[in-house]
Amino acid sequence: MAEKDDYLLDLLVDLGFTTADVVDKAREEANAAGVGVVDLLVANKVIRPGDVTQAKAAQFGAEVVHLANLKIEDDVIAIVPRDIAKKYRVVPVFKNAGKVAVAIADPSDLNTIDSLTHLLNAEIELRVASEQDIENALTKYYGGEKKSMDAGIFKDVMQELTEENVHVAKVEDGGEVEADAPLIRLVNQIIVDAFKLRASDIHLEPLEKRFRLRYRIDGVMQEMKSPPKRLQAPVIARLKIQAGMVISEHRVPQDGRIQSKIGSKLIDLRVSCLPTNHGESIVMRILDKEGLRLGLPELGFLSDDQATFERIINLPDGILLVTGPTGSGKTTTLYSCLNFINRPDRKIITVEDPVEYVLSGINQVQVHEAVGFTFAAALRAILRQAPNIVMIGEIRDLETGSIAINASLTGHLVFSTLHTNDAPGAVTRLVDIGVKPFLVASSTRCLMAQRLVRKICKKCMAPYTPTEQEMRSLGLTLDEVKNANIQKGRGCQNCNNTGNRGRFGIFEIFVVEDEARKLIYDRVPTTVLRQRAREMGMRTLREDGIRKVLAGLTTPEEVIRATVGDES
């Protein structure tokens, strides 16, 4: 082992990652402390884990791979079974003409390589990745270690659930239907596991040779241990029955809803069924009402932005638009706003398609376009109900936009959403659908774009030094990094070895005041409006993300991913 470390240390010096003098000094300290020299150099931040990975690769003439940047196909992952991948800490990268390329953290582990060659009956090509990269990839493609959905439940669906307090039942007419049948327990366990892992969506996808189960956790899809292909039809039929769908219809998409109880907690699942080549794909969105009780700080607002936002949502009239792509948390933000300003002296009405969450003390209206009850028709009707505050799920067309703006000009506070990439782009979007610029200028109070980034797990967070590439991407200087509290999760049981737990928003808040109104009225291009907005104090999404990186709330990697294309 000492010989191998000496050779690795020589390579680190030859590659310019450190010097011989530093290594000699570290060797004396390591001998005195009884630790490895390489480990000591990493702990003292003399070298980075990535430097060690490159040296290991050079030692064995192998290529370094960054697994986080790769999209590994399902058929490649299937080459190495989950138990083997977990045991030997390897991730298959690609296959070609009888050869399988696998990523491994320690290419000197000849026993592992020999075992893989024998088990896979294929020639192994080595790729080298960092231990953390390997760990993250194993979690991403094979699932974490602490999944309660283990192989046993699929080998024998007759097996009883081990936790007595775990019980899921469909609620019907005020009563509960007992779930004793093996298939029902299997379906219930899928829902229970998703809820325990804080998944937002459950995806059951029929593929040619298998029935894939994936959960979306903190915005990232993670593949789980899947039911056998032979259970595909009965599992889908069971879910369609629970969701109130027509089980004999396999040709057209269907939507439904399941209200379930997990322990003492009531949750809703919005279910979508889509016919595909190999069967019907089911997606269940878990709607947890407690997630709507978030205060503004929990949404991700820092104190200055929170003060600005609270001032805007307490105005008596005008429009506040939240923009961003699907899944960026717009609805949660609007619901949290409504909860914040919901008082007995205010009448609040929402128009939604669909009504995702039931809010206490608020009148919620469901759109039914099949019978002509569109957003515009609903909006006209509710204005005759004399509300103080109106929330429109989305402004999709000129008719809805015009009525919303007229409502804001006649003493109503209107909240809504738009699909645009940034805050100033909402102005262009409204004008494009036909709203007059002078109406946009006079009615709009605030435009806010948002994205979601993952929080660092509090139980395994540790100081982190950004790479040079991350610093360049975020425009950070060495002084800013030295004086900041930059953190990154190491991965633990609490966060399912991902280093992240939960999500919050990064925001771009454009408060529309007199100067901005004149620019909108003059129909200046979006690029000009955006530049002037920044000069007037608007922070971009990336700038807000950088503040939260420096505060130790999220990682540079998350902000870069969420703000690709944003100006730094």
Side-chain angles (χ1 to χ4, degrees):
M1 181 63 72
E3 233 176 75
K4 183 179 73 172
D5 281 350
D6 287 342
Y7 189 59
L8 184 60
L9 289 166
D10 289 342
L11 274 171
L12 287 166
V13 173
D14 292 342
L15 293 171
F17 293 128
T18 185
T19 64
D21 292 342
V22 172
V23 168
D24 290 340
K25 184 178 178 182
R27 187 178 278 112
E28 293 175 6
E29 294 178 11
N31 290 335
V35 298
V37 183
V38 175
D39 292 338
L40 183 66
L41 289 171
V42 172
N44 291 339
K45 297 187 177 180
V46 175
I47 58 176
R48 298 174 302 178
D51 300 338
V52 179
T53 302
Q54 288 191 38
K56 285 180 177 178
Q59 183 178 357
F60 290 88
E63 179 185 333
V64 174
V65 290
H66 300 285
L67 298 175
N69 300 330
L70 293 181
K71 172 65 176 77
I72 306 175
E73 299 298 329
D74 293 337
D75 58 339
V76 175
I77 290 296
I79 293 171
V80 181
R82 181 181 186 273
D83 56 340
I84 293 176
K86 292 280 187 177
K87 178 180 179 181
Y88 293 107
R89 318 303 294 167
V90 296
V91 177
V93 178
F94 66 84
K95 61 177 180 178
N96 183 28
K99 296 181 180 179
V100 178
V102 297
I104 189 171
D106 184 6
S108 66
D109 188 352
L110 299 180
N111 289 334
T112 290
I113 297 165
D114 288 343
S115 297
L116 283 174
T117 302
H118 174 70
L119 289 167
L120 302 180
N121 193 26
E123 183 180 342
I124 302 297
E125 286 190 7
L126 285 186
R127 300 291 185 270
V128 183
S130 68
E131 291 185 8
Q132 187 61 54
D133 214 7
I134 293 282
E135 184 62 45
N136 291 342
L138 287 171
T139 300
K140 177 179 179 181
Y141 293 108
Y142 292 100
E145 296 291 347
K146 298 299 289 182
K147 304 293 184 290
S148 57
M149 170 108 36
D150 58 23
I153 195 169
F154 300 114
K155 290 179 181 177
D156 183 6
V157 293
M158 296 297 295
Q159 178 181 342
E160 293 294 331
L161 297 181
T162 56
E163 299 180 36
E164 293 180 2
N165 62 336
V166 172
H167 171 72
V168 182
K170 184 179 177 184
V171 178
E172 292 178 343
D173 302 325
E176 295 181 359
V177 177
E178 291 299 325
D180 290 329
L183 179 68
I184 294 174
R185 291 205 309 277
L186 171 61
V187 172
N188 290 347
Q189 189 66 45
I190 290 172
I191 297 172
V192 167
D193 284 351
F195 186 77
K196 283 182 176 181
L197 293 170
R198 302 173 295 102
S200 58
D201 305 288
I202 303 170
H203 295 251
L204 285 157
E205 303 161 312
L207 304 178
E208 184 178 6
K209 295 182 180 178
R210 62 194 185 102
F211 186 34
R212 183 168 65 178
L213 170 64
R214 294 194 291 176
Y215 296 156
R216 190 185 299 277
I217 303 171
D218 293 333
V220 178
M221 294 286 278
Q222 295 188 22
E223 185 162 349
M224 317 304 291
K225 177 67 180 177
S226 300
K229 181 73 172 175
R230 61 186 172 80
L231 292 180
Q232 175 180 311
V235 166
I236 290 174
R238 169 63 188 166
L239 288 168
K240 288 173 74 174
I241 290 170
Q242 283 188 285
M245 300 177 186
V246 180
I247 113 175
S248 60
E249 179 57 75
H250 307 288
R251 299 164 299 174
V252 297
Q254 297 186 67
D255 293 308
R257 205 175 190 110
I258 299 174
Q259 191 175 66
S260 297
K261 212 172 187 183
I262 298 182
S264 60
K265 193 176 183 69
L266 193 67
I267 63 167
D268 286 335
L269 295 99
R270 198 173 76 197
V271 187
S272 170
C273 179
L274 180 71
T276 69
N277 281 349
H278 304 293
E280 291 170 287
S281 172
I282 294 276
V283 176
M284 293 177 279
R285 183 175 183 190
I286 300 174
L287 306 175
D288 179 13
K289 296 175 184 177
E290 288 191 2
L292 297 174
R293 298 175 187 169
L294 297 175
L296 297 183
E298 286 76 22
L299 290 177
F301 287 105
L302 297 181
S303 57
D304 53 349
D305 283 343
Q306 181 179 337
T308 299
F309 198 65
E310 285 183 9
R311 177 176 65 83
I312 296 296
I313 64 178
N314 277 298
L315 291 174
D317 56 27
I319 288 185
L320 182 148
L321 291 174
V322 181
T323 76
T326 301
S328 60
K330 301 187 296 296
T331 301
T332 300
T333 296
L334 289 184
Y335 276 140
S336 296
C337 290
L338 294 181
N339 276 331
F340 184 81
I341 59 179
N342 185 17
R343 300 200 306 259
D345 62 335
R346 293 175 173 175
K347 179 164 179 123
I348 303 175
I349 303 180
T350 73
V351 185
E352 304 169 64
D353 183 24
V355 174
E356 293 188 1
Y357 301 92
V358 178
L359 301 176
S360 176
I362 293 176
N363 301 276
Q364 294 174 269
V365 177
Q366 168 77 55
V367 168
H368 292 286
E369 294 195 357
V371 296
F373 193 49
T374 60
F375 272 108
L379 196 47
R380 280 196 210 91
I382 68 173
L383 291 178
R384 292 194 285 272
Q385 296 275 313
N388 301 104
I389 298 160
V390 176
M391 188 193 96
I392 307 165
E394 182 185 351
I395 294 179
R396 300 177 178 177
D397 51 42
L398 173 59
E399 190 177 15
T400 306
S402 298
I403 298 170
I405 283 177
N406 287 329
S408 71
L409 294 173
T410 54
H412 303 85
L413 181 61
V414 179
F415 297 109
S416 191
T417 68
L418 275 178
H419 290 286
T420 63
N421 291 328
D422 60 4
V427 173
T428 304
R429 173 68 177 146
L430 288 173
V431 173
D432 283 347
I433 65 175
V435 181
K436 300 295 183 185
F438 76 90
L439 290 174
V440 177
S442 56
S443 63
T444 306
R445 297 287 179 266
C446 179
L447 305 166
M448 185 177 80
Q450 72 174 64
R451 300 290 188 276
L452 293 177
V453 294
R454 291 185 289 177
K455 296 179 186 176
I456 300 171
C457 175
K458 292 182 179 179
K459 293 191 176 180
C460 66
M461 64 195 311
Y464 172 69
T465 302
T467 64
E468 290 182 10
Q469 183 178 351
E470 288 172 337
M471 290 176 62
R472 283 197 304 271
S473 297
L474 296 179
L476 293 174
T477 64
L478 285 173
D479 288 339
E480 287 175 316
V481 170
K482 286 178 183 176
N483 298 324
N485 178 35
I486 301 178
Q487 303 277 327
K488 188 170 185 176
R490 295 188 300 265
C492 64
Q493 182 177 335
N494 181 58
C495 61
N496 198 32
N497 293 316
T498 63
N500 302 288
R501 183 179 173 90
R503 290 187 292 173
F504 65 92
I506 55 175
F507 305 98
E508 181 175 279
I509 303 175
F510 179 20
V511 179
V512 181
E513 295 177 333
D514 290 343
E515 184 179 349
R517 288 194 182 93
K518 185 177 185 308
L519 293 170
I520 295 170
Y521 182 80
D522 291 341
R523 302 189 70 162
V524 300
T526 303
T527 51
V528 175
L529 183 61
R530 180 176 177 79
Q531 182 59 38
R532 292 293 296 126
R534 294 186 66 183
E535 292 170 3
M536 289 184 274
M538 181 190 82
R539 291 189 192 89
T540 65
L541 288 164
R542 177 156 290 188
E543 287 167 345
D544 190 46
I546 291 170
R547 291 202 302 164
K548 289 161 185 174
V549 167
L550 298 177
L553 301 175
T554 188
T555 62
E557 179 186 359
E558 278 294 295
V559 171
I560 293 168
R561 176 189 60 79
T563 60
V564 172
D566 189 23
E567 297 178 32
S568 59

